[in-house]
Amino acid sequence: MVLPMKVRIWEAGPRDGLQNEPGVVPTETKVALIERLVDCGIRYIEATSFVSPKWVPQMADNAEVMARLVRKPGVAYQALTPNLKGFEAAAAAGVSDIAVFAAASESFSRRNINCSIAESLERFRPVVEAGLAHGMRVRGFVSCVVGCPFEGEVAPAKVAEVAAALMAMGCYEVGLGDTIGVGTPTKIKAMIAACAERVPIAKLGAHFHNTYGQALANLLAALEMGIDAIDSSVAGLGGCPYAPGATGNVATEDVVYMLDGMGIETGIDLAALVRTAWFISDALGRPPVSSVARALRSKCL
Ligand code: HMG
Ligand code: MG
């Protein structure tokens, strides 16, 4: 087992986190959060999504967020684009990193993006082509890689098939989403092993929600398999509006604390990150769910 020396953290909080807030988070708070996260050393960040505002009103200010952000060079500010309409709006907003998002479960695909898996892949093809033609980086996601809120267990071979389709289309990396956080290390390893038969491991990322408190253990399993891209969410914000009961991604502070302790480099300043977790939690009126943010509060604030 050779663990990576360095890990790329994809910060998902401003998108995956805030898409799930019951109330409207002011645009200026979103922008301040993204800028603070970048100041912590984050270089890959999900900034917003160009999805239908009827489906996800929390992201309706996508263009405004992108316009107000003072973007730093060398930082990937990614936005979800489910179709060409979303792509065009993202391109007009000057987005350079887009992501398409498929699922390994038919029922989840229908609930989340209102089409079958096969239809979604057909819909993404021109989005990916347009993104590449515009010089954008295009990431892919597969949701429900272990389990689906409507169908139960999901077969690793199905996840591998969808991940391979996204790669074949031109995505440079595929984030494997345990959307409802039901994975355990053995299942995660089996799922990654199936994907790695079709997609190089260096092109796979771990996007684990922490609903059952398994995400850190699952991340360690993923690292042991050779994955070195981890999606996480500051303060453990979030969930998915179309996955009943799902909670946020594993908290970025918890991941950075674990990786710091293992001597694996992230480039992220943990104390600044803890302050940012409290900044957004105070703005939302509740404490962070992250153990590390709570444990380090008095030291860092
Ligand atoms: P639809 O209703 O089938 O789409 O939704 P449509 O093409 O029939 O359009 C319906 C209306 O939406 C029209 O407006 C369109 O113009 C508009 P109307 O004529 O009724 O006034 N519309 C748009 N507006 C703005 N931007 C767009 C857009 N597209 C259509 N891009 C659609 C299909 C995909 C649009 C919809 O289902 C949708 O937006 N879904 C997004 C759901 C979502 O954002 N889910 C959360 C993100 S995924 C996730 O969290 C999982 C992940 O984190 C990984 C993991 O954890 O597993 C990534
Ligand atoms: Mg997610």
Side-chain angles (χ1 to χ4, degrees), residues 82-108:
N83 51 21
L84 277 173
K85 190 176 172 97
F87 164 77
E88 277 151 22
V95 170
S96 58
D97 285 76
I98 59 169
V100 292
F101 47 108
S105 139
E106 286 293 349
S107 310
F108 184 79

Side-chain angles (χ1 to χ4, degrees), residues 15-16 19 179 207 209 239-240 249:
R15 192 282 300 172
D16 205 332
Q19 75 181 7
T179 318
H207 178 106
H209 287 255
C240 175
N249 289 84

Side-chain angles (χ1 to χ4, degrees), residues 31-99:
V31 170
L33 174 64
I34 296 168
E35 291 179 347
R36 280 174 182 246
L37 287 163
V38 170
D39 287 344
C40 295
I42 280 166
R43 291 294 168 265
Y44 305 87
I45 187 159
E46 286 201 67
T48 186
S49 61
F50 287 83
V51 299
S52 167
K54 287 183 184 150
W55 285 65
V56 185
Q58 292 88 340
M59 297 284 113
D61 61 351
N62 40 32
E64 214 181 326
V65 167
M66 294 311 299
R68 287 210 214 165
L69 260 183
V70 177
R71 290 182 235 180
K72 276 196 179 166
V75 178
Y77 298 89
Q78 179 186 273
L80 295 185
T81 51
N83 51 21
L84 277 173
K85 190 176 172 97
F87 164 77
E88 277 151 22
V95 170
S96 58
D97 285 76
I98 59 169

Side-chain angles (χ1 to χ4, degrees), residues 2-251:
V2 182
L3 291 169
M5 293 173 69
K6 203 173 167 180
V7 156
R8 270 176 307 127
I9 301 280
W10 267 100
E11 170 57 49
R15 192 282 300 172
D16 205 332
L18 299 185
Q19 75 181 7
N20 216 39
E21 279 302 309
V24 176
V25 179
T27 306
E28 65 195 52
T29 306
K30 295 177 176 175
V31 170
L33 174 64
I34 296 168
E35 291 179 347
R36 280 174 182 246
L37 287 163
V38 170
D39 287 344
C40 295
I42 280 166
R43 291 294 168 265
Y44 305 87
I45 187 159
E46 286 201 67
T48 186
S49 61
F50 287 83
V51 299
S52 167
K54 287 183 184 150
W55 285 65
V56 185
Q58 292 88 340
M59 297 284 113
D61 61 351
N62 40 32
E64 214 181 326
V65 167
M66 294 311 299
R68 287 210 214 165
L69 260 183
V70 177
R71 290 182 235 180
K72 276 196 179 166
V75 178
Y77 298 89
Q78 179 186 273
L80 295 185
T81 51
N83 51 21
L84 277 173
K85 190 176 172 97
F87 164 77
E88 277 151 22
V95 170
S96 58
D97 285 76
I98 59 169
V100 292
F101 47 108
S105 139
E106 286 293 349
S107 310
F108 184 79
S109 182
R110 290 220 170 266
R111 303 269 185 133
N112 195 39
I113 50 175
N114 204 24
C115 62
S116 69
I117 298 170
E119 284 164 346
S120 77
L121 295 173
E122 281 318 303
R123 192 182 283 175
F124 295 150
R125 198 177 306 283
V127 176
V128 175
E129 275 169 16
L132 295 176
H134 276 68
M136 296 176 179
R137 286 175 292 247
V138 188
R139 202 169 185 238
F141 285 101
V142 185
S143 285
C144 298
V145 296
V146 182
C148 164
F150 314 108
E151 292 181 14
E153 289 222 3
V154 169
K158 186 67 194 174
V159 183
E161 181 190 319
V162 178
L166 292 172
M167 287 301 294
M169 224 177 260
C171 293
Y172 72 92
E173 183 173 275
V174 176
L176 300 169
D178 183 7
T179 318
I180 53 171
V182 289
T184 48
T186 316
K187 286 183 182 173
I188 290 286
K189 282 191 168 175
M191 181 274 297
I192 293 172
C195 291
E197 281 178 21
R198 314 228 3 211
V199 176
I201 200 99
K203 304 281 182 191
L204 296 171
H207 178 106
F208 299 158
H209 287 255
N210 198 32
T211 319
Y212 290 82
Q214 304 296 302
L216 277 184
N218 291 341
L219 282 178
L220 184 56
L223 291 169
E224 286 174 2
M225 297 288 291
I227 283 191
D228 65 359
I230 293 178
D231 299 16
S232 57
S233 177
V234 65
L237 296 176
C240 175
Y242 297 100
T247 61
N249 289 84
V250 61

